[in-house]
Amino acid sequence: MPPPAGPIRRSAGSRLDARAAFGQISIHELAIHERYGRTGVNLRQIDAFRAVMECGSMTAAAAVLGISQPNVSRLIAQLEETIGFALFERRSGRLLTTADGSAFHAEVERSYSGLRRLLHAASDIKAFKQGRLRIATVPALGYGFLPRAIRAFRQSHPQVTISLQLRGSPTVIQWTEAQQCDIGIASNIAGMAGLDAEPFAVLEGVCALPAGHPLARLRTIRPHHLEGLDFISLPLDDDVRGQIDRLFERRGIARVMSLETQYSATLCTLVAEGLGVSIVNPIALRDFAHRGLVVRRFEPRVVFRSSILVPPRRPRSRLAEAFLATMRQVYESERDYIRQVLRAG
């Protein structure tokens, strides 16, 4: 395998080159090489110097480094010869740092302090202790479901900054294509060209009724049961609205189309207020349990579909993959809850 291109490669013949070619060089060595490498300084010499400064003697430094005291002395001597000034002097058997040595030590510590910050940041990124995640979603999943997924995710990733934006599917698609979010979740995008999407939630719509509604006695609601009733609908440009309207039209069943609204959460609120009945995405059911909303199976099937959108020309981050794994786990829990609610009805 040829060595990688870059500044280190151009220093032909050095031991650093050979190790870089096989991926055996550390971030410390690279930084020391960039700052001191052209003068012949290497990391072992710098480590020996730092150990002596911290321990106060070459003997103690040797013990810390796991090498012999003569080796420490040799490394210090090589370093002094390379940089052109003395780092230490002996007086009455004591090892004292020269003024130049103190100045050099301050410079070395500044370099290592920067490296420690870099390594700490890298460690945090690897462990998901920091980072930012931008999520754009349709409101059906954004009001209750995604906050529950975020709560589960934050239990193991408490320091990640998360931005959650609720928008309609066209805006979510636009933001994803423009790489303005890390995860996009849109509804009913079938037939839209140029999208890299993964199916996520596929749920059968349920009939939502106000508390105490006469139809609550039934376990399954069919179109003829809703004839002549006030029906709260999704807007005309919604694909699910098209499914529902065609279903009733084919059967010649008329509803009173008294209200329409764009978002499932608002639709469920209107039903809970007694303003009509509707067919809703069951992902919203948990959010309205306290409102006395009654739900029943609806036949024939009306399907609500949601998809995960992938920003183009950019691999998905490990952080986004981890969140999506949590989101799928929470989704399975939501599906179990929906089944329980329908069985209880």
Side-chain angles (χ1 to χ4, degrees):
M1 178 184 297
I8 295 175
R9 183 181 177 186
R10 290 194 290 270
S11 303
S14 71
R15 293 175 60 191
L16 193 65
D17 282 344
R19 295 179 61 205
F22 290 96
Q24 297 173 347
I25 193 165
S26 71
I27 189 172
H28 294 294
E29 291 171 288
L30 286 171
I32 294 299
H33 174 78
E34 285 298 312
R35 189 173 289 264
Y36 307 113
R38 291 176 177 80
T39 65
V41 172
N42 64 48
L43 182 65
R44 286 175 57 81
Q45 295 166 1
I46 297 293
D47 279 346
F49 171 62
R50 294 183 73 237
V52 173
M53 290 294 294
E54 292 171 5
C55 297
S57 74
M58 293 195 184
T59 301
V64 168
L65 294 172
I67 60 177
S68 67
Q69 187 272 331
N71 275 337
V72 173
S73 298
R74 177 177 55 79
L75 290 168
I76 296 298
Q78 290 172 349
L79 178 58
E80 289 176 327
E81 181 180 355
T82 300
I83 61 180
F85 54 82
L87 297 168
F88 302 101
E89 62 181 44
R90 289 191 178 275
R91 292 183 188 173
S92 304
R94 296 178 58 202
L95 187 69
L96 302 177
T97 309
T98 65
D100 288 340
S102 294
F104 185 67
H105 180 250
E107 177 66 18
V108 168
E109 288 305 302
R110 277 194 291 271
S111 297
Y112 269 75
S113 177
L115 287 170
R116 281 193 294 270
R117 285 195 297 271
L118 285 174
L119 291 172
H120 182 69
S123 177
D124 281 354
I125 291 170
K126 182 179 179 181
F128 303 128
K129 290 181 180 178
Q130 67 180 28
R132 183 176 181 86
L133 195 58
R134 300 166 301 168
I135 304 168
T137 181
V138 289
L141 279 74
Y143 281 114
F145 167 71
L146 274 172
R148 287 189 285 276
I150 290 171
R151 179 182 61 191
F153 184 72
R154 291 295 289 272
Q155 290 175 0
S156 54
H157 306 85
Q159 296 178 1
V160 173
T161 300
I162 298 175
S163 171
L164 177 63
Q165 298 290 331
L166 276 58
R167 295 292 188 276
S169 286
T171 301
V172 172
I173 292 167
Q174 179 184 353
W175 285 5
T176 306
E177 290 178 334
Q179 302 199 19
Q180 292 178 286
C181 61
D182 303 297
I183 297 172
I185 306 173
S187 296
N188 304 304
I189 62 170
M192 289 190 153
L195 282 176
D196 187 2
E198 302 172 12
F200 175 56
V202 180
L203 295 168
E204 295 183 15
V206 295
C207 186
L209 308 166
H213 195 280
L215 291 179
R217 71 182 189 279
L218 302 175
R219 294 187 63 85
T220 301
I221 306 296
R222 293 180 171 82
H224 68 272
H225 293 131
L226 305 182
E227 186 166 15
L229 297 183
D230 288 325
F231 190 91
I232 308 170
S233 184
L234 292 164
L236 284 169
D237 60 355
D238 189 285
D239 286 350
V240 176
R241 163 74 180 265
Q243 285 187 59
I244 296 170
D245 285 354
R246 287 190 296 272
L247 187 153
F248 281 89
E249 288 166 3
R250 284 195 296 267
R251 289 162 175 78
I253 297 170
R255 298 157 290 161
V256 179
M257 308 294 282
S258 57
L259 286 168
E260 69 177 41
T261 184
Q262 185 177 4
Y263 301 133
S264 293
T266 311
L267 193 152
C268 289
T269 300
L270 292 170
V271 173
E273 292 293 335
L275 296 172
V277 301
S278 189
I279 298 170
V280 304
N281 188 336
I283 201 72
L285 295 188
R286 191 187 293 266
D287 308 321
F288 289 87
H290 66 289
R291 297 292 302 272
L293 193 72
V294 177
V295 293
R296 294 292 183 264
R297 295 183 186 279
F298 183 81
E299 293 181 358
R301 295 170 73 242
V302 172
V303 180
F304 289 82
R305 302 178 188 274
S306 299
S307 300
I308 297 167
L309 307 183
V310 180
R313 302 176 300 280
R314 189 183 73 188
R316 187 180 290 157
S317 69
R318 295 171 58 246
L319 193 62
E321 291 287 4
F323 180 80
L324 289 174
T326 300
M327 192 173 81
R328 292 184 179 100
Q329 292 174 357
V330 174
Y331 173 63
E332 291 304 317
S333 173
E334 297 287 310
R335 287 180 39 163
D336 290 342
Y337 176 82
I338 293 166
R339 294 187 190 104
Q340 292 171 11
V341 169
L342 294 176
R343 280 199 297 267

